[in-house]
Amino acid sequence: MDSAGQDINLNSPNKGLLSDSMTDVPVDTGVAARTPSVEGLTEAEEEELRAELTKVEEEIVTLRQVLAAKERHCGELKRRLGLSALGGLKQNLSRSWHDVQVSNAYKKTQETLSQAGQKTSAALSTVGSAISRKLGDMRNSATFKSFEDRVGTIKSKVVGDRENSSDNLPSPTGNGDQPLSDHAPF
C-alpha cells in the first residue's frame, strides 16, 4: 500500500466506530463505471482514475479489517488485565466532572445559585416573620377570642368540671390496675 500520495487522518471522529460487520460490506465499483465520463478527461486519464479509485476502495476495506482486528486485540488485552468498559467509563465520567467543576461557567453558575439561595432564604425568613406576626395579631382579635371562648365552653360541657391536669385523666385500663377487656377495639 503506497501512502505517500494519501492523507490518512488517524484523529478522525469516526475512528473506532466501525463494527466487524463493516469488513463484509462490498464496495460497488460498478457505480463509478456507470457514471458518464467527465468532459475534459481523455479515455486514458479516466481509466487511470478508475484504477486508482478501485485501489483506494480496496485499501479502505483492508484498513477496516485491520482496525477490527486491532479492536479485538485491544479488547482481549483489556480483558486479560481486568480492565472493563465500566471502569473506563467511570474514569472518563470522573475526569469530565472534574473538568466541569473547574470550568469558569460552572464556578459562575455555582456562585449565582448560592446567591439566589441566600436571597431566597432571607425572603422566606421575612415571609415567616410576617405570617407569625399576622397570626399573633389574629389571635388577639375579637373574632378569635370569641371562637376560643366557644371552644372552651364546648370542651367544658364534654369533659365536665374536671381540670386539665394529667392526674385527673382517665386511666387507659379503666379501673386502676384492671386490664382492658378482651373486646377492646384495638
Side-chain angles (χ1 to χ4, degrees):
M1 178 163 85
D2 181 21
S3 62
Q6 297 179 11
D7 181 20
I8 299 176
N9 183 0
L10 297 178
N11 293 323
S12 169
N14 297 324
K15 177 180 158 192
L17 297 179
L18 302 175
S19 66
D20 289 347
S21 64
M22 292 298 291
T23 59
D24 297 333
V25 176
V27 178
D28 186 8
T29 57
V31 172
R34 289 189 297 267
T35 59
S37 61
V38 178
E39 293 186 29
L41 289 179
T42 65
E43 205 172 298
E45 289 173 332
E46 187 177 335
E47 190 62 34
E48 182 181 331
L49 289 175
R50 288 186 194 281
E52 185 176 347
L53 177 62
T54 304
K55 181 180 174 186
V56 169
E57 288 173 340
E58 289 173 356
E59 289 173 354
I60 289 171
V61 170
T62 303
L63 288 172
R64 285 181 179 155
Q65 292 171 346
V66 169
L67 178 61
K70 294 272 186 191
E71 287 176 338
R72 282 192 300 270
H73 183 66
C74 178
E76 178 64 22
L77 291 174
K78 284 181 178 181
R79 185 189 62 74
R80 291 178 68 190
L81 288 171
L83 302 175
S84 67
L86 182 60
L89 180 63
K90 285 167 55 176
Q91 285 179 341
N92 287 341
L93 287 175
S94 177
R95 190 174 326 129
S96 296
W97 178 242
H98 179 267
D99 292 345
V100 166
Q101 286 179 320
V102 299
S103 71
N104 287 335
Y106 179 84
K107 288 179 183 176
K108 287 180 183 178
T109 303
Q110 185 180 26
E111 183 179 313
T112 302
L113 289 176
S114 176
Q115 290 174 355
Q118 290 171 356
K119 289 179 181 179
T120 302
S121 177
L124 289 176
S125 177
T126 303
V127 168
S129 297
I131 290 172
S132 293
R133 187 173 53 252
K134 288 292 182 184
L135 287 175
D137 292 347
M138 187 177 81
R139 187 162 192 226
N140 293 329
S141 71
T143 306
F144 187 81
K145 292 218 179 266
S146 173
F147 177 73
E148 190 175 31
D149 289 342
R150 286 185 185 159
V151 170
T153 303
I154 293 171
K155 180 183 173 194
S156 66
K157 287 181 181 178
V158 171
V159 175
D161 292 333
R162 295 186 212 165
E163 295 180 9
N164 289 336
S165 70
S166 62
D167 295 337
N168 293 333
L169 292 177
S171 169
T173 58
N175 290 338
D177 294 335
Q178 293 178 352
L180 290 174
S181 71
D182 290 336
H183 302 293
F186 299 112

